[in-house]
C-alpha cells in the first residue's frame, strides 16, 4: 500500500506557524490589557482610600490631599483611554487570529478530504486485487476439480 503524501504540506506548515505566531501576539496583547486594568483598579482603590477629607487635618494637608486626588483622577482618565486602546488592539489581534485559524483549517480540510479520497482509492485497488486472487483461486480449484474427475473416470 502506498503512503499518502499531501502536496500542500509546506503551505499547511507555514499556516500553522503563522497561527502560532498570531496566538503569541494575541496573548501579549491580552497581557498588556490586563496590566492596564490592574493599574486602573489600583488607581481607583487609591482614590477611594484617600478621597475622604477629615476636619482634623490642617489646611496644608487638605490641600496636598486635594492635589493628590486630582493627580489620581487625571491618571485614572489616562488609564481609561489606554485601556480603550488596548481593548481595540486586542480585538484586532483576536480577528487576525481567527483569520489565521480559518486559513489553516481550510488547508487541513483539503488535506483530510484528499487523504480520504486516497484511502478510498487504495482500498478499492486492494479490494480489486483480492477479488482477482479469489477468482484465480476459484478457477484453479475448478480446473483441479475437473481434472481430477477426468482422471478418475
Amino acid at each position: 500500500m502506498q503512503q499518502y503524501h499531501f502536496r500542500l504540506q509546506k503551505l499547511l506548515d507555514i499556516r500553522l506557524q503563522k497561527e502560532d505566531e498570531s496566538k503569541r501576539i494575541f496573548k501579549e496583547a491580552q497581557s498588556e490589557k490586563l496590566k492596564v486594568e490592574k493599574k486602573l483598579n489600583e488607581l481607583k482603590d487609591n482614590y477611594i482610600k484617600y478621597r475622604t477629607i477629615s476636619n482634623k487635618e490642617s489646611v496644608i494637608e487638605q490641600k496636598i490631599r486635594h492635589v493628590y486626588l486630582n493627580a489620581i483622577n487625571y491618571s485614572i482618565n489616562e488609564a481609561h483611554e489606554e485601556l480603550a486602546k488596548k481593548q481595540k488592539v486586542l480585538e484586532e489581534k483576536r480577528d487576525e487570529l481567527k483569520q489565521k485559524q480559518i486559513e489553516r483549517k481550510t488547508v487541513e480540510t483539503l488535506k483530510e478530504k484528499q487523504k480520504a479520497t486516497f484511502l478510498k482509492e487504495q482500498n478499492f485497488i486492494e479490494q480489486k486485487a483480492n477479488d482477482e486472487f479469489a477468482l484465480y483461486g476459484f478457477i484453479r480449484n475448478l480446473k483441479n476439480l475437473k481434472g481430477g474427475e477426468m482422471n478418475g473416470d
Side-chain angles (χ1 to χ4, degrees):
M1 186 175 211
Q2 291 181 350
Q3 187 70 20
Y4 175 69
H5 176 70
F6 184 53
R7 295 182 321 177
L8 299 174
Q9 187 62 44
K10 287 183 182 181
L11 176 65
L12 180 58
D13 293 341
I14 290 170
R15 291 210 174 156
L16 281 168
Q17 289 173 347
K18 286 184 178 181
E19 181 185 356
D20 290 342
E21 179 68 14
S22 184
K23 283 179 185 177
R24 186 187 61 74
I25 292 170
F26 174 75
K27 286 180 183 179
E28 286 176 3
Q30 197 171 29
S31 174
E32 289 179 18
K33 178 186 165 265
L34 290 174
K35 285 179 187 176
V36 172
E37 283 178 341
K38 183 179 178 183
K39 176 183 168 185
L40 180 62
N41 288 333
E42 288 173 358
L43 289 170
K44 286 180 178 179
D45 290 343
N46 280 342
Y47 186 82
I48 291 170
K49 182 178 176 182
Y50 293 108
R51 74 177 173 195
T52 55
I53 298 174
S54 70
N55 293 333
K56 296 178 183 177
E57 293 178 342
S58 69
V59 174
I60 295 173
E61 288 174 334
Q62 289 178 3
K63 184 82 170 171
I64 292 171
R65 184 182 299 263
H66 182 70
V67 169
Y68 178 69
L69 288 174
N70 283 340
I72 288 179
N73 201 20
Y74 179 76
S75 296
I76 287 173
N77 290 337
E78 284 184 342
H80 273 293
E81 291 173 11
E82 188 178 355
L83 180 61
K85 290 177 186 175
K86 296 293 182 183
Q87 285 175 330
K88 184 178 178 184
V89 168
L90 184 64
E91 287 304 313
E92 289 172 1
K93 300 303 177 188
R94 179 177 284 122
D95 291 340
E96 288 175 15
L97 177 58
K98 285 179 186 178
Q99 186 61 37
K100 301 288 186 210
Q101 288 175 334
I102 289 169
E103 290 171 0
R104 175 193 49 88
K105 287 179 182 180
T106 301
V107 177
E108 274 186 352
T109 303
L110 181 63
K111 178 181 179 179
E112 290 171 6
K113 286 181 180 180
Q114 287 181 358
K115 187 173 183 177
T117 302
F118 173 80
L119 291 175
K120 193 174 183 180
E121 289 173 4
Q122 290 299 313
N123 288 338
F124 177 74
I125 292 169
E126 187 178 328
Q127 184 62 45
K128 189 175 176 182
N130 288 343
D131 291 347
E132 286 180 18
F133 291 140
L135 182 61
Y136 292 143
F138 176 76
I139 292 172
R140 192 173 353 130
N141 287 340
L142 191 61
K143 285 183 181 178
N144 288 341
L145 188 63
K146 284 187 178 180
E149 288 178 6
M150 290 182 190
N151 292 338
D153 278 334

